[in-house]
């Protein structure tokens, strides 16, 4: 009976580590996508030190989980106590780090509100100044998502217009509709857009557009994170049980 229990524990340990291996591969792939994505998301990450750091942390965590899943599978199948102990201690550190990151994300979630982004836009945005990272990033976001400002074109009323523009409330060129949503895309009617004709402007704010675009992925990422934490917890339990059961 004890041998059967140990054998069952070994294969359960292998199964959980296989899921950790897959979870690490997913995080690794997601981190690589965020950094090399050509659609403009890379510029957002590069412009925000917190996001930039987070992307590389995601890469590192994915690589570690990928490696640990592999080592855990090997330790379970070969019944190697050293590998199992190493796996348990390392997965415990990762588990605590992920839990701390989740708590910090919950605490600082107010920094992702509509009001926060509106305040930052009005404070730092310099319209078509592509030498400024903040402005260039916002322009890329507005072009990529076919949106304007955080809430809409009205966000730019308090932002100084370009010296050569005679319009007091001119919106930036990035808010003008394009045939193709990229910097190389041709304007539908640039002059009419800048003169204030709304049908040639993107009227929807970026906050709503991006929130709707990523809503599904946010819930998916949250579910994946909870699943990974649960799998890691069970894997640690099985690792310790298997460690104690090996003679």
């Amino acid at each position: 009976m004890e041998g059967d229990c140990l054998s069952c524990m070994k294969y359960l340990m292998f199964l959980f580590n296989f899921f950790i291996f897959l979870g690490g591969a997913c995080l690794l792939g997601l981190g690589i996508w965020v950094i090399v994505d050509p659609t403009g998301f890379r510029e957002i990450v590069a412009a925000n030190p917190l996001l930039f750091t987070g992307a590389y942390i995601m890469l590192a965590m994915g690589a570690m989980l990928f490696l640990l899943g592999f080592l855990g599978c090997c330790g379970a199948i070969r019944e190697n106590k050293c590998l199992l102990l190493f796996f348990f201690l390392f997965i415990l550190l990762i588990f605590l780090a992920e839990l701390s990151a989740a708590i910090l994300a919950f605490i600082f979630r107010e920094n992702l509100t509509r009001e926060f982004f509106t305040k930052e836009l009005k404070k730092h945005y310099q319209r078509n100044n592509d030498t400024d990272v903040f402005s260039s990033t916002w322009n890329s976001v507005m072009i990529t998502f076919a949106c304007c400002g955080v809430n809409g074109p009205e966000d730019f009323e308090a932002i100084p217009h370009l010296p050569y523009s005679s319009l007091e409330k001119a919106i930036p060129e990035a808010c003008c509709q394009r045939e193709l949503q990229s910097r190389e895309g041709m304007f539908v009617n640039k002059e009419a857009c800048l003169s204030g004709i709304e049908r040639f402007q993107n009227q929807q704010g970026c906050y709503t557009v991006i929130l709707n675009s990523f809503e599904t992925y946010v819930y998916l990422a949250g579910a994946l994170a909870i699943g990974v934490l649960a799998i890691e917890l069970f894997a640690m339990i099985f690792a310790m049980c298997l460690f104690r059961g090996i003679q």
Side-chain angles (χ1 to χ4, degrees):
M1 180 67 69
E2 185 178 345
D4 292 339
C5 183
L6 186 63
S7 179
C8 179
M9 194 72 67
K10 178 174 72 173
Y11 288 110
L12 282 174
M13 173 74 178
F14 177 85
L15 180 64
F16 275 108
N17 276 283
F18 180 71
F19 283 122
I20 290 174
F21 176 82
L22 290 181
C26 289
L27 282 177
L28 195 60
L30 184 60
I32 293 172
W33 175 79
V34 168
I35 291 174
V36 304
D37 176 58
T39 61
F41 197 69
R42 176 179 52 190
E43 295 183 33
I44 304 174
V45 173
N48 190 317
L50 186 61
L51 290 177
F52 185 77
T53 304
Y56 280 97
I57 289 176
M58 188 188 303
L59 270 176
M61 295 297 287
M64 283 192 292
L65 287 175
F66 186 85
L67 177 62
L68 279 174
F70 178 76
L71 290 177
C73 289
C74 292
I77 293 299
R78 299 185 62 181
E79 298 184 7
N80 187 305
K81 295 186 76 171
C82 291
L83 278 177
L84 288 172
L85 184 59
F86 172 77
F87 169 82
F88 175 83
L89 294 174
F90 213 162
I91 206 81
L92 177 62
L93 290 175
I94 292 176
F95 179 84
L96 293 176
E98 290 174 344
L99 195 60
S100 300
I103 294 172
L104 287 174
F106 179 79
I107 292 173
F108 293 104
R109 69 191 186 282
E110 64 271 9
N111 288 341
L112 300 177
T113 61
R114 184 188 297 267
E115 291 73 21
F116 172 79
F117 286 116
T118 303
K119 180 182 176 182
E120 290 295 300
L121 178 71
K122 292 181 177 180
K123 182 178 179 182
H124 300 292
Y125 185 68
Q126 299 177 22
R127 294 186 176 268
N128 299 326
N129 182 6
D130 285 335
T131 60
D132 177 64
V133 176
F134 183 89
S135 303
S136 176
T137 300
W138 260 104
N139 288 334
S140 294
V141 170
M142 291 189 289
I143 292 171
T144 301
F145 291 95
C147 55
C148 188
V150 179
N151 309 287
E154 65 273 11
D155 289 344
F156 298 101
E157 294 179 2
I159 298 175
H161 60 277
L162 297 171
Y164 55 80
S165 173
S166 60
L167 301 172
E168 285 187 20
K169 299 179 181 179
I171 63 171
E173 292 180 4
C175 285
C176 295
Q177 293 181 4
R178 297 171 184 250
E179 295 177 1
L180 179 65
Q181 296 311 128
S182 70
R183 287 183 177 270
E184 292 74 32
M186 296 293 293
F187 291 100
V188 175
N189 192 327
K190 180 179 175 181
E191 291 73 19
C193 168
L194 295 178
S195 66
I197 300 178
E198 293 185 359
R199 66 192 182 93
F200 295 110
Q201 301 173 353
N202 296 318
Q203 293 293 310
Q204 196 166 15
C206 293
Y207 190 87
T208 301
V209 172
I210 295 176
L211 197 64
N212 292 338
S213 299
F214 287 98
E215 185 176 13
T216 303
Y217 300 103
V218 168
Y219 289 123
L220 183 62
L224 179 63
I226 292 172
V228 168
L229 287 173
I231 290 170
E232 288 172 356
L233 184 61
F234 279 109
M236 285 189 291
I237 294 172
F238 285 128
M240 189 49 62
C241 291
L242 187 60
F243 178 86
R244 296 185 62 182
I246 295 174
Q247 301 299 323

